[in-house]
């Protein structure tokens, strides 16, 4: 069959290059405040809990969220700023390359706090790439609570086409749009099936 197709198109002219004059974003990329509002709206629309704070109040906000959920144990990825957890009363379980937390240890861990690589405003999506402060993918898939810190406006982009050039394709990219959820044929939504049941996103405003 493939030979017949090749024979049929053997004398066909080369296909023209596709046009690339389409819009790369529908949100105002040059308006950081509007972009942050759009990200906030879309994150909340995906049932993430969104908070805005400053760098100075970030440890207080994180500590409050962990206390609110009764977190007793916390997974900590390599490179996470220690100051972020200065007020956290939970046991910190550091995941390192030399001594990674086992699946059993992760399953018995209440929460994880991470940073992110980027946040996409138009889709309300967080992108993690496994670099410092984010850790390996299992850290954000096994614990039931994920607290993710986004620095705005530096880590906020308008759209997927604007995000891709800033990401490294060889990195283990994890794309997060709200807490883990699935629906059956009756449209009954169940959260926490293949990832965290609860997602808190902390937007640190004023950070470049």
């Amino acid at each position: 069959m493939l030979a017949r197709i090749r024979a049929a198109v053997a004398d066909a002219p080369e296909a023209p290059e596709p046009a690339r004059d389409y819009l790369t974003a529908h949100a105002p990329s040059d308006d950081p405040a509007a972009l942050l509002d759009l990200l906030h709206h879309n994150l909340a629309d995906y049932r993430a809990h969104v908070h805005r704070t400053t760098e100075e109040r970030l440890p207080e906000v994180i500590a409050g969220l962990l206390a609110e959920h009764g977190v007793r144990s916390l997974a900590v990825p390599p490179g996470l700023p220690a100051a972020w957890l200065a007020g956290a009363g939970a046991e910190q379980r550091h995941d390192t390359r030399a001594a990674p937390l086992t699946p059993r240890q992760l399953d018995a861990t209440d929460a994880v706090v991470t940073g992110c690589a980027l946040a996409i405003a138009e889709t309300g999506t967080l992108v993690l790439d496994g670099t410092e402060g984010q850790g390996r993918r299992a850290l954000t898939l096994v614990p039931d609570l994920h607290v993710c810190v986004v620095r705005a406006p530096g880590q906020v982009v308008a759209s997927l086409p604007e995000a891709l050039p800033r990401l490294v394709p060889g990195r283990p990219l994890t794309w997060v749009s709200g807490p883990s959820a699935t629906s059956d044929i009756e449209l009954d939504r169940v959260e926490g099936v293949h990832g965290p049941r609860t997602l808190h996103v902390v937007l640190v405003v004023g950070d470049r």
Side-chain angles (χ1 to χ4, degrees):
M1 182 179 71
L2 293 177
R4 290 173 60 190
I5 293 173
R6 282 193 293 268
V9 300
D11 299 325
E14 290 293 324
E17 285 293 319
R20 302 291 185 185
D21 56 350
Y22 47 78
L23 290 175
T24 58
H26 299 276
S29 301
D30 58 347
D31 187 342
L35 211 58
L36 189 61
D37 287 341
L38 180 62
L39 173 65
H40 190 144
H41 171 80
N42 286 329
L43 285 167
D45 192 49
Y46 271 120
R47 302 193 187 185
H49 304 276
V50 188
H51 316 268
R52 298 195 194 194
T53 190
T54 61
E55 185 72 30
E56 292 74 19
R57 292 196 63 243
L58 179 59
E60 176 187 343
V61 171
I62 292 176
L65 292 175
L66 298 178
E68 175 187 334
H69 288 275
V71 171
R72 293 173 297 178
S73 55
L74 178 68
V76 181
L80 189 81
W84 289 10
L85 304 180
E91 173 200 352
Q92 296 182 23
R93 300 177 176 177
H94 291 265
D95 185 77
T96 66
R97 294 174 179 84
L101 297 173
T102 66
R104 188 180 296 276
Q105 288 173 318
L106 282 175
D107 189 50
T109 300
D110 297 328
V112 61
V113 175
T114 74
C116 73
L118 288 176
I120 304 173
E122 288 183 352
T123 60
T125 302
L126 308 173
V127 186
L128 284 71
D129 65 2
T131 51
E132 295 298 293
Q134 300 169 56
R136 56 195 175 103
R137 182 171 292 150
L139 291 183
T140 56
L141 292 181
V142 180
D144 203 44
L145 169 65
H146 180 192
V147 178
C148 185
V149 176
V150 180
R151 297 184 179 278
Q155 291 185 317
V156 180
V157 297
S159 65
L160 180 61
E162 290 187 1
L164 290 176
R166 293 181 53 175
L167 298 170
V168 179
R171 300 295 313 170
L173 301 178
T174 302
W175 303 70
V176 179
S177 296
S180 168
T182 188
S183 296
D184 60 18
I185 197 171
E186 300 294 334
L187 300 183
D188 291 326
R189 179 183 170 99
V190 180
E191 297 182 351
V193 175
H194 39 63
R197 192 186 316 273
T198 305
L199 172 65
H200 284 274
V201 181
V202 183
L203 305 176
V204 180
V205 297
D207 190 278
R208 305 307 299 181

